[in-house]
Amino acid sequence: MRLFICCLTILATLYCGFAQTDSNQEPVYENLIELRHDNDFPVFTDRYYTTGNFIGWRKLLEKGTDSTDQKQYRLYLIQELFTPADILETEIRTFDRPFAGFLGFSNGYTLANSRRLFDLEVFVGISGPYSGGSFIQEAFHSAPAVSSRIPTWLGQIQTAVFGNAYVRYTREWQWEPNPFSVHCALTPEVAIGNRDMYAQQEAAFFFGRRSALQSTSAYKQLGSTANEYFFTVRTAYRYILHDASQEGDLIGDSSPLLRTPYRNMFLYDFEMNARIKRYNFMVAYRYATPINRRSFPHLYVTLSIAKTF
């Protein structure tokens, strides 16, 4: 009898072990923490959109299948800095754009399946000295390891409260399967609020080993730890109605300097992406055409690392 009970115990243990192995071949992690930094310092410039700092958390609300939506929530703390081309100039009227700093929180909600993705984002934040833009950049430039020119931050965009909504819809097609897949996606986007008002159309092409839309790191989707190695080419056209980083608050702004942006803008990105189990890595080069008649094109780099848990 003891031998029989012992055998049953061993069989039950083995069964549970095999069942757990089968069900956990690809663990589902429901949370992700991301650190992202934008900077034009690596390309030896210090102007326009010069720095962006992002700390974010994503939460998988409901894991879907190909025929059902996967739902996801995110919360980000964002700080962005904008400067003129000559950060040492003291004659405000000669600036090609004003100094501007933004600090705020972004909330986002995503619905995705294997073919399309819907994304809604709401941003609430402040501009002006309370954004910490001048403090962060001055501290960076005065650090012993950098020891470079200290920006004047004269005539920066005045303190104001901003609220914005961003709506994006992505439709994706797979042209070739793995191991070297090819995906194409179209993403129309609309921004409404007193910080940004624009309409944008983006086309993106993905090349390499990549998962389906609702589980790929290309859109920072959770629910999969399958390894990915791919690069992305993006191009976008944006029609701008309002840009608070140059024009100030849409409701009214008395900042010392305001500039009228070009209404038409083109954006080009080249990204390299990798997901190694629970870690996501991304390096991107981003190029933008001139933002107003006094400015020049701009190139900056994005670095991102994220971990699921």
Side-chain angles (χ1 to χ4, degrees):
M1 184 67 178
R2 291 180 180 177
L3 180 60
F4 178 73
I5 294 175
C6 183
C7 290
L8 284 179
T9 302
I10 293 173
L11 289 173
T13 302
L14 290 173
Y15 174 79
C16 292
F18 284 127
Q20 186 176 13
T21 300
D22 291 340
S23 62
N24 291 336
Q25 283 195 5
E26 188 181 339
V28 176
Y29 296 98
E30 297 183 351
N31 297 275
L32 179 144
I33 291 291
E34 180 186 12
L35 299 176
R36 172 184 155 191
H37 181 66
D38 298 341
N39 208 307
D40 60 352
F41 182 76
V43 293
F44 308 106
T45 60
D46 194 2
R47 64 188 187 191
Y48 309 152
Y49 175 49
T50 183
T51 305
N53 299 303
F54 305 78
I55 302 175
W57 166 63
R58 293 174 180 266
K59 170 68 175 177
L60 182 62
L61 301 178
E62 183 178 333
K63 183 173 174 59
T65 64
D66 286 351
S67 59
T68 61
D69 287 330
Q70 177 166 289
K71 302 174 183 179
Q72 185 172 291
Y73 168 79
R74 69 180 180 274
L75 174 65
Y76 275 71
L77 173 63
I78 300 173
Q79 184 188 52
E80 295 177 310
L81 283 63
F82 301 83
T83 68
D86 188 350
I87 59 176
L88 300 181
E89 178 60 61
T90 58
E91 187 63 40
I92 296 176
R93 64 183 179 83
T94 65
F95 290 176
D96 48 9
R97 61 149 302 128
F99 285 93
F102 293 91
L103 178 68
F105 287 95
S106 168
N107 289 266
Y109 181 74
T110 301
L111 294 173
N113 60 30
S114 61
R115 293 185 178 182
R116 59 111 179 107
L117 180 147
F118 173 79
D119 183 87
L120 173 63
E121 178 183 353
V122 176
F123 172 85
V124 178
I126 60 172
S127 64
Y130 293 109
S131 70
S134 57
F135 172 78
I136 290 294
Q137 194 172 42
E138 288 170 6
F140 174 79
H141 282 258
S142 60
V146 179
S147 187
S148 62
R149 307 176 302 167
I150 306 298
T152 63
W153 276 86
L154 294 173
Q156 66 173 300
I157 293 292
Q158 70 176 15
T159 300
V161 177
F162 292 91
N164 238 87
Y166 303 85
V167 181
R168 307 175 185 93
Y169 175 81
T170 297
R171 179 67 169 90
E172 188 175 83
W173 297 267
Q174 182 177 9
W175 291 347
E176 295 291 338
N178 284 324
F180 192 86
S181 65
V182 178
H183 293 77
C184 170
L186 294 177
T187 303
E189 176 181 351
V190 175
I192 301 175
N194 66 331
R195 176 181 169 175
D196 295 312
M197 291 189 68
Y198 63 76
Q200 176 175 303
Q201 178 63 65
E202 176 188 275
F205 302 89
F206 306 86
F207 304 90
R209 177 177 290 277
R210 213 207 76 175
S211 301
L213 186 152
Q214 65 176 4
S215 58
T216 178
S217 61
Y219 302 97
K220 293 186 172 58
Q221 292 295 290
L222 298 171
S224 175
T225 56
N227 288 349
E228 295 183 310
Y229 308 94
F230 61 93
F231 65 91
T232 308
V233 178
R234 302 178 189 271
T235 181
Y237 165 74
R238 178 179 296 181
Y239 182 77
I240 299 172
L241 294 173
H242 183 77
D243 176 7
S245 72
Q246 298 184 73
E247 298 179 279
D249 192 349
L250 178 66
I251 300 173
D253 200 299
S254 58
S255 299
L257 175 72
L258 299 174
R259 294 294 184 202
T260 301
Y262 280 142
R263 297 305 174 198
N264 302 289
M265 188 178 190
F266 294 89
L267 307 168
Y268 306 94
D269 296 354
F270 176 78
E271 302 175 5
M272 294 171 285
N273 300 265
R275 179 168 66 192
I276 304 173
K277 299 302 181 182
R278 295 169 61 189
Y279 290 91
N280 299 339
F281 304 93
M282 189 266 284
V283 178
Y285 286 85
R286 308 192 189 279
Y287 176 89
T289 55
I291 57 176
N292 60 46
R293 66 184 183 86
R294 292 172 172 263
S295 66
F296 299 94
H298 188 222
L299 175 67
Y300 66 94
V301 175
T302 295
L303 303 174
S304 171
I305 180 171
K307 182 181 179 181
T308 56
F309 63 96

